[in-house]
Amino acid sequence: MSTRPRLLSIALLLTCVAALDANAQTEQAPLNDAEKALHVLNRLAYGPRPGDVDAVRHIGVKRYIEQQLNPDSLPMPPELTDKLSALSTYQLTSTQLYQQYGPPSFPPNTATPEEKNMARQRANKDITPQVHAARLWLATESPRQLQEVMTEFWFNHFNVFEGKEWVRYWDGEYEKDVLRPNALGNFRQLLGAVAHHPAMLYYLDNWLSSGVNTPEAKGRFKGLNENYGRELLELHTMGVDSGYTQADVISLARILSGWTIDEKGMKDGAQQPFIFNPRRHDAGDKLFLGQTIKGSGYQEGEQALDILARHPATAHFIAAKLVQYFVSDQPQPALSEKLARRFMSSNGDIKAVLHTLFDSPEFWARSNYQTKFKTPYQYVVSSLRATATPVLNVKPIDGVLNQLGQPLYGWLTPEGYKFSEEAWLNPDALLRRINFVNGLSNGKSPIARAETPPPAPGSAPATPLPNSAATVAVDPQQLIQTLTPTLAPHSLSTVSAAPANLQVGLILGGPDFMKR
């Protein structure tokens, strides 16, 4: 980096720290039409692309919200669907992924180190890049932005860690076939789909769990595993300090004993990798959250999920997280209570709860406008959208997200990534963001340059793939128009006074664009 860009980065960093540490805006006049359009594009979407603010103003924010709440009404661009269809491993089912990429012995801890390493390398080469590309293409290009925003929300809520052996093979299919289709649906259906998916069964070890002294409680399956039961209560439904006890955790683990992965069935081509094994299930009666659940096998688990999905604590926990995600880092009690009541009255209808949220005065209050600090993922994706940078090479995005501390599918523990300013605002992270957008602004970012395929052994070097036509410097005036009214008047003055080749970096690296 030359001296001038380095000095610009440092100056921007100081400006950002000062501006982002400033007190929140005081209540002022209601948002105008342009501000409302920007607000929904920043909260229901990953920020505006060129022309989006005007398009939302033209149809009105209410119609835009209704469209986003009904994603099937928005046709997908053919170019995007064609790109997704061309991702061969992304189209595979859980069983097909197991058959084609699994080590000779399932699970990996029964394979040799060499077999495990070979399987991991194959997954890293074939599966992981396609899963990451699909997520980034949908986030940057899909018109169904709220569905993508909520898919990210639910992935963090029902987090699985890509780095845990077999989760790497299944996390993309988990997101594609479980989370995205249910992101705006019914919470109980979503909860059940997650509970049956091999990525979750494997990640939280329920596939190993067996009732004490059951006929097949032996070897790797010996013993009751409480991991999934505990996280199901603490993170997926009721929330910590909501009244459940350790006895409830144990009861839930007993209820879910025998919920496992069908290893033999997958080898034989079974379409559903989930199976209930009665020979590993604790068949006794259980007392769970004050209710007696009679020993009835598989149905006990469905009954427990019904109880959890309908529990008032679950309604309040989900409501508070949605308020934090869409409105304010500090959940507003009155709004959270309103959403919890709607959750209960609608039997967990996620769309109905969001409708109430987007209709609320709190969502539209100026005190909550442009106040949410973007996570690294939101910042990177919103930068790509604002500059209309095509994603032709995923590796540089993976690299910057790793540097910023939010790699895709990369949170180790079950609670998932946080969305608060406190989690992400620090000088080092700001400087890394500024360096990223400075590299993006000149149109020479490797993100917009397709990777050249490696030559086959003994053949001539491969012909470089054509780069995108968008590999030209970003026009600062076009960017200002795209982001209006993001930039405050003093920010516009600062940008206008700067040399033309530094203006895009000032816009995207400034404090106004750091927030949504």
Side-chain angles (χ1 to χ4, degrees), residues 262-301:
D262 188 5
E263 304 171 56
K264 182 180 183 303
M266 284 195 295
K267 289 175 184 176
D268 296 337
Q271 292 305 303
Q272 298 299 326
F274 170 84
I275 194 172
F276 173 72
N277 185 345
R279 293 178 59 79
R280 288 172 47 202
H281 177 67
D282 181 334
D285 295 346
K286 292 92 176 173
L287 183 65
F288 178 59
L289 296 175
Q291 300 186 44
T292 298
I293 294 184
K294 292 289 184 179
S296 57
Y298 166 76
Q299 197 55 41
E300 296 171 39

Side-chain angles (χ1 to χ4, degrees), residues 16 19-20 42 370 374 486-492 507 509-516:
C16 280
L20 293 169
N42 275 336
Q370 288 293 98
K374 292 177 180 177
T486 299
L487 303 178
H490 68 274
S491 299
L492 280 172
I507 295 167
D512 297 332
F513 191 72
M514 293 286 176
K515 294 205 170 187
R516 60 184 183 96

Side-chain angles (χ1 to χ4, degrees), residues 39 327 332 334-335 338 357 360-368:
H39 190 51
V327 182
Q332 296 161 301
L335 180 56
K338 184 190 297 184
L357 172 60
S360 69
E362 293 90 341
F363 179 75
W364 294 105
R366 182 170 290 278
S367 57
N368 290 323

Side-chain angles (χ1 to χ4, degrees), residues 312 314-323 327 331-365 368:
T314 298
H316 284 87
F317 183 59
I318 300 298
K321 288 191 73 170
L322 288 170
V323 173
V327 182
Q332 296 161 301
L335 180 56
S336 295
E337 179 62 31
K338 184 190 297 184
L339 298 190
R341 289 198 302 268
R342 188 69 183 110
F343 186 100
M344 294 293 290
S345 66
S346 67
N347 196 29
D349 186 328
I350 299 165
K351 185 187 301 183
V353 174
L354 289 175
H355 209 293
T356 300
L357 172 60
F358 301 144
D359 273 347
S360 69
E362 293 90 341
F363 179 75
W364 294 105
N368 290 323

Side-chain angles (χ1 to χ4, degrees), residues 43-105:
R43 300 291 173 94
L44 280 70
Y46 288 112
R49 298 169 303 175
D52 277 0
V53 171
D54 288 340
V56 173
R57 291 184 68 183
H58 177 73
I59 65 171
V61 294
K62 286 188 176 181
R63 185 180 173 193
Y64 176 80
I65 290 171
E66 288 300 324
Q67 288 178 341
Q68 291 299 314
L69 286 169
N70 297 279
D72 289 344
S73 69
L74 296 167
M76 295 287 277
E79 181 182 352
L80 175 57
T81 57
D82 289 347
K83 289 197 301 184
L84 292 171
S85 297
L87 298 175
S88 57
T89 62
Y90 187 67
Q91 306 305 322
L92 300 179
T93 66
S94 296
T95 293
Q96 290 169 332
L97 287 163
Y98 163 75
Q99 292 176 330
Q100 296 183 31
Y101 288 90
S105 176

Side-chain angles (χ1 to χ4, degrees), residues 218-493:
K218 59 186 71 172
R220 66 190 184 197
F221 300 116
K222 186 176 182 178
L224 191 68
N225 193 297
E226 300 174 12
N227 288 355
Y228 180 52
R230 178 174 288 103
E231 306 307 348
L232 183 53
L233 284 162
E234 180 179 332
L235 297 175
H236 297 176
T237 56
M238 295 175 63
V240 69
D241 299 327
S242 56
Y244 67 85
T245 66
Q246 175 60 20
D248 291 315
V249 173
I250 295 172
S251 290
L252 187 53
R254 292 175 59 208
I255 288 167
L256 295 171
S257 60
W259 283 46
T260 188
I261 297 170
D262 188 5
E263 304 171 56
K264 182 180 183 303
M266 284 195 295
K267 289 175 184 176
D268 296 337
Q271 292 305 303
Q272 298 299 326
F274 170 84
I275 194 172
F276 173 72
N277 185 345
R279 293 178 59 79
R280 288 172 47 202
H281 177 67
D282 181 334
D285 295 346
K286 292 92 176 173
L287 183 65
F288 178 59
L289 296 175
Q291 300 186 44
T292 298
I293 294 184
K294 292 289 184 179
S296 57
Y298 166 76
Q299 197 55 41
E300 296 171 39
E302 296 294 347
Q303 185 179 348
L305 294 178
D306 287 342
I307 292 169
L308 289 170
R310 295 170 184 162
H311 201 287
T314 298
H316 284 87
F317 183 59
I318 300 298
K321 288 191 73 170
L322 288 170
V323 173
Q324 286 181 309
Y325 193 59
F326 283 104
V327 182
S328 171
D329 283 359
Q330 300 302 319
Q332 296 161 301
L335 180 56
S336 295
E337 179 62 31
K338 184 190 297 184
L339 298 190
R341 289 198 302 268
R342 188 69 183 110
F343 186 100
M344 294 293 290
S345 66
S346 67
N347 196 29
D349 186 328
I350 299 165
K351 185 187 301 183
V353 174
L354 289 175
H355 209 293
T356 300
L357 172 60
F358 301 144
D359 273 347
S360 69
E362 293 90 341
F363 179 75
W364 294 105
R366 182 170 290 278
S367 57
N368 290 323
Y369 170 70
Q370 288 293 98
T371 55
K372 290 280 294 175
F373 186 70
K374 292 177 180 177
T375 67
Y377 179 74
Q378 291 166 346
Y379 181 76
V380 168
V381 173
S382 63
S383 299
L384 296 171
R385 284 173 60 82
T387 57
T389 301
V391 178
L392 301 183
N393 188 351
V394 174
K395 283 184 179 179
I397 303 177
D398 280 340
V400 73
L401 289 173
N402 287 335
Q403 290 177 11
L404 293 171
Q406 197 180 13
L408 290 177
Y409 315 108
W411 189 254
L412 175 65
T413 49
E415 73 275 12
Y417 289 116
K418 293 180 173 61
F419 293 95
S420 64
E421 178 175 306
E422 180 183 14
W424 299 112
L425 177 55
N426 63 77
D428 179 66
L430 286 176
L431 186 57
R432 290 179 185 274
R433 292 185 184 207
I434 291 166
N435 290 336
F436 164 68
V437 293
N438 279 338
L440 196 67
S441 64
N442 61 14
K444 297 179 181 179
S445 170
I447 294 168
R449 294 176 176 272
E451 286 190 276
T452 301
S459 65
T463 302
L465 295 175
N467 294 323
S468 165
T471 55
V472 295
V474 178
D475 180 356
Q477 294 307 309
Q478 173 67 54
L479 186 60
I480 290 171
Q481 185 176 355
T482 297
L483 296 176
T484 299
T486 299
L487 303 178
H490 68 274
S491 299
L492 280 172
S493 299

